[in-house]
Amino acid sequence: MAKQKTSRKAFATTAAAVMAATAVTPVAAFAASKTSFPDVPAGEYADAINNLAGQGILNGFEDGTFRPNDPVLREQAAKILATALKLDATGTENYPDVSTDNWSYKYIVAVTKAGIFGGDENGKFNPFNNLTRQEAAKIIVQAFGFTGSTELTFGDKANIQSWAVPYVKTAVANGILKGDDQGNFNPNANIKRGDFALMIQRALNAVENAKTPKVESVSAINAKSLEVKFNKAVDDTKAKFEVKRGNITANVSKITWNKDKTAAQIELASKLFAGDYTVNVTGLTDKALTGTVKVENEKVAKIEFASDLAILASSSSSNSVSVGYKVYNQYGEDITAKTTIAATPSSGSASVDAAKGIITISGLTNPKAGDKLSLTLVHSETATATSKVLTVSDASKVSDVTIEGLYNADKKELSEDNKANDFYLLINAKDQYGNELKANDLNPNSVVVNSSNPLVAKATVSDFKEITVDGKKRIALKLDTSSATAGKTTVSIISLASAKVAQYEVEVKEGSKVDNLVLSQPELAVAKEKVVLPFEAYDKQGNKVDKYELLNAVNISSTAGSVKFVKDAKANTTNLVLDLTAVNDPTKVTVTAITPTQKVVNLVVDVKEAAKPVYIAGVKDVTTNVEEGQNFELGLSNIVVKDQYEREFPLTNKVGASAGNYQVKATIPSNTVLDFVSSQDTIDANADKIVLNGKAKGTETVTLKLLDNAGNPIPGSEYNFASRVSAADEYVSYEVKAIDPLYDDSKVDINSATDDTDTYVRDVVVYGVLANGQKVVIPSSAYTVTSPTKGIEVIPPQSGGSYKLNVEGAGNAGEGKSLVQYAKDATEAKGTAVITINANGKQLTQEFTITQAKPQVASVKFDKAKVDDGVANVQHTDNAISAVNLFALVGGATVEDQYGETVTISSDNGEITFADKTTASSSILVTDYTSVGTANHTITANGTASVAISGADKYETFKATFNFGGYQVPVKVVVVDK
């Protein structure tokens, strides 16, 4: 093969281009522009050739033939690859044997730039040379970026040149190349035009298939779980699983993904039963991905003895021995505790304790070490059995104890800061026979526990527990660190039987403390407000300190107002807040901070006069252009007011005639173009808005000014804006405001004669566009709205309002059926509104989305009186806090769904009620509980709607994460007295 100049960078670019070439059509999908060649017989050749020809990737000859058995020239291969991959053909290449006037020049430039193939050792491209089969393998593997390999089985594989072997292996592994009918590859033969077309189409199909997720397999991995493997990594946030056995849908308990997102384990709520289980995966492709596995009922597969020793009971007068056993199912899971087996000894009688996995043989005559007896275990249902000759041995005693290390479930370091957390020493214990022991085997009769310095940490023999670490049961010695001080202590465990000693040095590190505090001036401190003071805190090692608990240990005070560290639960940060709400006049306030290491820091804060509105800066969220005879409104939410510090000054709750209140007055030069409705030109204690009516065509200047509570104008507060009153004959065009997605609530909200009361509707808003580009909302009387979309109802305007779009349904509420036509498995459809301008018959269309996505909570704004900046005070009742106490925080909250409709959340039990009357439940997860002193609280039913806390003390804190049907809101809760 000719030597090629290859650019690795260009090659990578080519592979990326292949993956992006979404316009390429696989054989199975080819339909449009189908081309037939008389010399191409029907079959796989014809499908590939016709498909590629239809896309302009290759073409036939002038006489209409394709000539599939002709060889492929290098310049033809360049054209086919450059076209199929949509390669960049700009630039130049200097080949002495390729003229710039040649039809193939740009394609040769493209494949050379991409590093697919180029010139030989003499710099020539050889455009008219035939391409061999092994050369074709190389350029296609390089062009499409294929990887992988397989062993070759061709009868003539020895004829493949060494440089081509890896490319042929990769091409075969990806299904691009195959041998002939005799099992040969013919590497040095010229590649035929038909074969080359087939290779290109297979390559395109392979790329397309690699982009599409598929279920590769479904398998049962334990008695309750199935594993689904995909052909590629998928988006685990979009995948939804449904498991069915026949027509029965199984309840899914948990989904666990592997790290690469190529496999998911589906844990069911109940065991797998015999039958075919089908897993449907939606959300990854347009159609559900499906896989099936045949499952057997759980059964006993194996019974094993834990030892060949029968251990004498510890009592010297006992005539019994015991031995452990295990029962496993077909998945290798331990099912001892729930399996009934029969035990038959050669002497005495046997009793089985399945819960402990122990068989006790009693009624023996003076058993002693060295005696032999046989024992047979049988599971009758599966006829699974095992037998063993056991040797009687002395009673089990704790012989060897080792201490593996310190353990905390949250991987926290043992320090004075974390001493309230649970810390354990992980223990390994064996008897004299090498058998693993359990926590209850380590007791006052078997071991002694000692701590060299109980002030650092201590433990007693009663502190041995069984805990789960990484899914395994472990023996653990719980350390008492509740009053720990920095230092070291050696914990010793002594076996009474063997006198062996296990020791471990436990170190409690010194807690982090604020050593140096740097206070800085705020940009602005204003009387009657709170201001956040910039600060930086460092410990003795120079590490930055930002934990609230450590910052709160700083003694901080001020000469006026109050100052304290406040934790921002949402941002998980701590702010230093100087509260000046009780300061009325400009002044100097000194803030003094004393760190736990007794360093003193002072900051003098220059407090400015209280904020007051000084001018109107503009209007927002309102269209001030209006058509003749129509109105527009100005309310407080539409008027932007600034204070003397150039900050927005909301007038909400500050309008009226009492001291400290203000008014907004509007004036117009005359009432010929605009006029006030009902002569109301002022927002004051009696009116919350100003309404202006367009009387005649023209432009009018509206002046807004601030007044004090007595009605006196505030100098310099004026703001002017122009309002255009237009007539219908001035519009040069019309526009329709985009319509938000329309929820199909027909199943629960069947239409009736009172359609105007339907909640999930969308307004149709139409603008007239003036010659200068300005838009004017035109009245609904100026146009008519219809919809050709089946299932969409147009609700006429009520009392001068707008047209509304609503989804129709048939049937009874709660049992209704949507009339909207959706594609198979689709949850969305497109609708169209047709707007006809009455005066001139002009028609506009506006497309919108109809969706079956059920309402979900999309935003929650708590009442500031109950939850302020993510922090809430909750009163305890006899040191108890119930879910009712926590759900009470929801009272007065503003809640909306994704469609902008109001949602009601019960402040009693968190039940969610949407505008379509459907409901959902809430839950509360309590985490990050911080105790005052010794932790003595208990949390029950955590993560449910019935969570409860007992033993809660004043000033203790925790995070309550509210889960409103999937929408989570964290709130920091501070426990307070009544």
Side-chain angles (χ1 to χ4, degrees):
M1 181 175 183
K3 184 178 178 182
Q4 298 179 12
K5 299 181 291 183
T6 303
S7 164
R8 300 300 288 173
K9 180 177 179 182
F11 172 66
T13 304
T14 303
V18 177
M19 298 304 292
T22 55
V24 176
T25 307
V27 170
F30 175 73
S33 303
K34 188 168 184 178
T35 306
S36 287
F37 295 100
D39 57 341
V40 178
E44 190 178 19
Y45 263 16
D47 289 338
I49 292 170
N50 290 336
N51 185 23
L52 297 176
Q55 297 179 75
I57 294 174
L58 50 76
N59 48 272
F61 292 90
E62 293 181 356
D63 61 359
T65 62
F66 183 75
R67 304 174 193 174
N69 295 318
D70 281 6
V72 175
L73 302 182
R74 282 169 57 84
E75 67 173 358
Q76 293 172 338
K79 187 258 185 182
I80 293 170
L81 286 173
T83 306
L85 304 182
K86 301 180 181 178
L87 299 179
D88 179 15
T90 60
T92 60
E93 289 290 342
N94 185 21
Y95 290 117
D97 57 343
V98 180
S99 169
T100 57
D101 296 331
N102 191 347
W103 67 267
S104 63
Y105 178 74
K106 64 179 181 179
Y107 302 117
I108 293 171
V109 169
V111 296
T112 302
K113 285 178 61 178
I116 297 173
F117 65 120
D120 60 15
E121 60 273 7
N122 299 316
K124 294 183 178 181
F125 186 79
N126 304 308
F128 308 117
N129 285 6
N130 294 334
L131 196 68
T132 67
R133 287 175 59 81
Q134 61 187 356
E135 289 173 340
K138 179 175 181 179
I139 65 172
I140 288 183
V141 167
Q142 289 196 148
F144 287 84
F146 290 124
T147 59
S149 183
T150 187
E151 289 304 315
L152 300 178
T153 60
F154 300 121
D156 60 346
K157 64 181 180 181
N159 297 334
I160 303 173
Q161 296 183 38
S162 59
W163 62 262
V165 169
Y167 298 107
V168 175
K169 285 183 175 182
T170 299
V172 172
N174 287 275
I176 308 303
L177 275 173
K178 299 178 182 179
D180 60 19
D181 294 338
Q182 287 74 43
N184 294 322
F185 179 63
N186 305 309
N188 297 304
N190 295 331
I191 187 79
K192 297 177 181 179
R193 283 168 54 82
D195 288 336
F196 194 66
L198 197 56
M199 289 175 66
I200 294 294
Q201 187 61 67
R202 287 172 180 165
L204 294 173
N205 288 347
V207 170
E208 189 67 25
N209 290 336
K211 293 190 292 184
T212 304
K214 292 181 175 62
V215 171
E216 283 192 336
S217 65
V218 178
S219 58
I221 58 173
N222 59 48
K224 293 179 65 176
S225 300
L226 301 173
E227 183 177 62
V228 181
K229 291 185 177 180
F230 297 90
N231 65 324
K232 57 172 289 183
V234 300
D235 188 342
D236 60 321
T237 63
K238 294 181 179 179
K240 304 297 180 186
F241 293 88
E242 177 192 59
V243 179
K244 304 193 78 172
R245 184 172 67 92
N247 294 323
I248 301 173
T249 301
N251 291 326
V252 175
S253 175
K254 183 172 65 174
I255 303 292
T256 304
W257 289 86
N258 67 350
K259 183 179 179 181
D260 297 332
K261 310 301 182 188
T262 57
Q265 291 185 8
I266 307 173
E267 181 179 321
L268 304 181
S270 59
K271 282 187 177 182
L272 297 167
F273 297 100
D276 291 337
Y277 279 79
T278 299
V279 178
N280 297 314
V281 189
T282 57
L284 299 177
T285 59
D286 293 339
K287 294 184 178 180
L289 306 179
T290 300
T292 302
V293 61
K294 183 178 287 296
V295 175
E296 295 180 329
N297 285 328
E298 184 181 31
K299 62 183 180 181
V300 172
K302 182 172 61 174
I303 304 174
E304 289 183 348
F305 284 97
S307 170
D308 58 2
L309 301 177
I311 309 302
L312 281 164
S314 57
S315 172
S316 60
S317 61
S318 175
N319 63 352
S320 64
V321 295
S322 61
V323 64
Y325 75 99
K326 295 285 186 183
V327 182
Y328 299 95
N329 64 13
Q330 69 265 45
Y331 306 108
E333 296 176 295
D334 184 348
I335 57 172
T336 307
K338 54 187 178 182
T339 304
T340 301
I341 64 168
T344 305
S346 58
S347 61
S349 60
S351 61
V352 180
D353 186 340
K356 296 181 179 179
I358 294 176
I359 297 172
T360 301
I361 304 172
S362 57
L364 301 175
T365 303
N366 299 321
K368 60 183 182 301
D371 289 351
K372 304 287 186 179
L373 73 157
S374 63
L375 180 62
T376 299
L377 308 181
V378 179
H379 180 256
S380 59
E381 292 180 17
T382 58
T384 304
T386 186
S387 297
K388 187 176 283 290
V389 176
L390 304 173
T391 301
V392 177
S393 300
D394 289 332
S396 174
K397 297 177 181 179
V398 177
S399 176
D400 294 295
V401 177
T402 58
I403 304 175
E404 188 175 303
L406 190 66
Y407 172 77
N408 171 263
D410 298 320
K411 296 181 172 55
K412 292 183 178 179
E413 181 183 58
L414 178 51
S415 68
E416 290 177 317
D417 295 334
N418 296 323
K419 62 186 180 181
N421 293 274
D422 291 338
F423 288 90
Y424 300 88
L425 291 177
L426 295 181
I427 308 297
N428 297 312
K430 295 183 178 181
D431 64 13
Q432 70 269 39
Y433 305 112
N435 297 318
E436 298 285 346
L437 299 176
K438 296 184 177 180
N440 56 10
D441 293 319
L442 293 116
N443 52 58
N445 297 321
S446 61
V447 294
V448 172
V449 177
N450 180 58
S451 174
S452 64
N453 188 351
L455 294 178
V456 175
K458 55 188 176 181
T460 68
V461 73
S462 61
D463 292 325
F464 286 105
K465 302 179 183 300
E466 186 180 81
I467 64 174
T468 301
V469 180
D470 297 331
K472 296 181 179 179
K473 299 291 186 182
R474 297 294 304 272
I475 302 173
L477 179 63
K478 189 176 187 303
L479 298 176
D480 182 355
T481 58
S482 58
S483 57
T485 58
K488 296 181 180 180
T489 184
T490 299
V491 176
S492 302
I493 304 174
I494 306 167
S495 169
L496 294 177
S498 65
K500 294 180 180 179
V501 181
Q503 292 185 325
Y504 189 86
E505 185 179 74
V506 176
E507 180 180 6
V508 177
K509 295 189 176 180
E510 183 179 359
S512 181
K513 298 176 183 177
V514 175
D515 176 59
N516 186 25
L517 184 68
V518 180
L519 301 178
S520 302
Q521 287 287 346
E523 290 186 9
L524 180 67
V526 178
K528 296 185 178 181
E529 296 181 11
K530 294 180 181 179
V531 60
V532 175
L533 302 179
F535 75 91
E536 291 183 348
Y538 301 91
D539 62 16
K540 288 183 178 180
Q541 289 72 41
N543 300 315
K544 196 167 185 178
V545 178
D546 54 12
K547 291 181 64 175
Y548 168 77
E549 292 75 14
L550 301 179
L551 293 168
N552 202 39
V554 176
N555 185 349
I556 194 162
S557 60
S558 63
T559 56
S562 65
V563 60
K564 62 181 179 180
F565 288 99
V566 177
K567 187 171 183 179
D568 185 336
K570 284 187 177 179
N572 197 26
T573 59
T574 301
N575 296 323
L576 179 56
V577 179
L578 176 61
D579 189 345
L580 301 171
T581 53
V583 176
N584 296 315
D585 302 311
T587 185
K588 304 282 187 183
V589 175
T590 300
V591 176
T592 301
I594 305 173
T595 71
T597 57
Q598 301 306 305
K599 291 185 178 179
V600 180
V601 183
N602 290 310
L603 175 70
V604 178
V605 179
D606 184 15
V607 180
K608 305 296 184 181
E609 69 169 341
K612 58 185 178 183
V614 294
Y615 72 98
I616 297 174
V619 294
K620 64 180 181 180
D621 301 330
V622 62
T623 300
T624 58
N625 294 328
V626 66
E627 190 173 292
E628 281 183 296
Q630 302 300 310
N631 300 336
F632 72 90
E633 300 177 351
L634 291 173
L636 288 180
S637 63
N638 305 123
I639 301 171
V640 180
V641 178
K642 295 290 185 75
D643 64 13
Q644 70 268 46
Y645 306 113
E646 291 296 323
R647 303 176 305 174
E648 193 163 335
F649 189 97
L651 286 181
T652 307
N653 301 323
K654 292 183 176 64
V655 171
S658 58
N661 286 343
Y662 301 89
Q663 302 172 25
V664 178
K665 183 178 179 62
T667 57
I668 49 179
S670 68
N671 62 352
T672 56
V673 176
L674 285 174
D675 198 7
F676 297 104
V677 175
S678 302
S679 301
Q680 180 62 47
D681 61 358
T682 305
I683 299 176
D684 53 21
N686 300 315
D688 61 358
K689 62 185 176 182
I690 299 167
V691 183
L692 291 108
N693 174 259
K695 293 186 65 178
K697 286 198 305 183
T699 300
E700 189 70 278
T701 298
V702 180
T703 300
L704 301 176
K705 65 178 64 177
L706 289 172
L707 310 178
D708 61 20
N709 63 300
N712 300 312
I714 296 176
S717 67
E718 296 85 359
Y719 173 78
N720 299 321
F721 66 87
S723 176
R724 172 70 181 271
V725 178
S726 60
D729 58 4
E730 292 185 276
Y731 303 135
V732 297
S733 64
Y734 298 89
E735 288 185 13
V736 182
K737 183 180 179 181
I739 299 172
D740 290 334
L742 177 61
Y743 171 47
D744 184 349
D745 62 343
S746 56
K747 291 185 178 180
V748 293
D749 191 357
I750 301 303
N751 301 316
S752 66
T754 58
D755 280 328
D756 58 298
T757 64
D758 201 326
T759 303
Y760 287 98
V761 296
R762 291 301 185 192
D763 292 333
V764 179
V765 179
V766 182
Y767 300 103
V769 182
L770 301 171
N772 62 2
Q774 289 183 329
K775 298 178 183 179
V776 179
V777 177
I778 64 176
S780 57
S781 59
Y783 55 88
T784 303
V785 178
T786 58
S787 176
T789 305
K790 182 176 176 59
I792 294 300
E793 176 191 30
V794 178
I795 303 173
Q798 303 292 318
S799 303
S802 62
Y803 281 93
K804 300 179 186 298
L805 302 177
N806 180 51
V807 178
E808 282 189 297
N812 299 316
E815 303 173 351
K817 179 180 179 181
S818 175
L819 298 178
V820 176
Q821 295 179 335
Y822 296 90
K824 185 178 180 181
D825 298 327
T827 58
E828 288 188 354
K830 292 296 183 181
T832 302
V834 178
I835 295 87
T836 303
I837 306 302
N838 294 332
N840 53 30
K842 290 184 178 180
Q843 288 191 322
L844 301 89
T845 59
Q846 182 65 44
E847 191 176 77
F848 55 91
T849 298
I850 309 163
T851 174
Q852 293 177 321
K854 294 181 180 180
Q856 294 179 323
V857 175
S859 70
V860 176
K861 294 181 181 178
F862 287 99
D863 182 348
K864 198 173 181 66
K866 295 185 177 182
V867 181
D868 190 358
D869 290 332
V871 180
N873 293 330
V874 174
Q875 296 177 347
H876 69 78
T877 303
D878 296 329
N879 299 107
I881 294 177
S882 67
V884 174
N885 299 137
L886 297 175
F887 279 126
L889 299 176
V890 182
T894 302
V895 188
E896 291 184 350
D897 64 17
Q898 72 269 41
Y899 301 107
E901 299 297 336
T902 299
V903 179
T904 301
I905 301 180
S906 169
S907 58
D908 293 328
N909 57 16
E911 184 178 61
I912 304 166
T913 304
F914 296 99
D916 64 352
K917 308 305 180 185
T918 59
T919 60
S921 59
S922 302
S923 63
I924 303 173
L925 178 66
V926 174
T927 57
D928 301 340
Y929 199 104
T930 303
S931 300
V932 176
T934 303
N936 59 358
H937 69 280
T938 301
I939 305 172
T940 58
N942 203 356
T944 74
S946 304
V947 63
I949 304 171
S950 59
D953 293 324
K954 184 180 179 182
Y955 300 132
E956 292 186 331
T957 63
F958 58 88
K959 181 167 75 173
T961 301
F962 291 82
N963 188 328
F964 299 119
Y967 183 86
Q968 296 186 350
V969 185
V971 175
K972 178 185 177 181
V973 175
V974 180
V975 181
V976 296
D977 288 336
K978 281 190 174 182

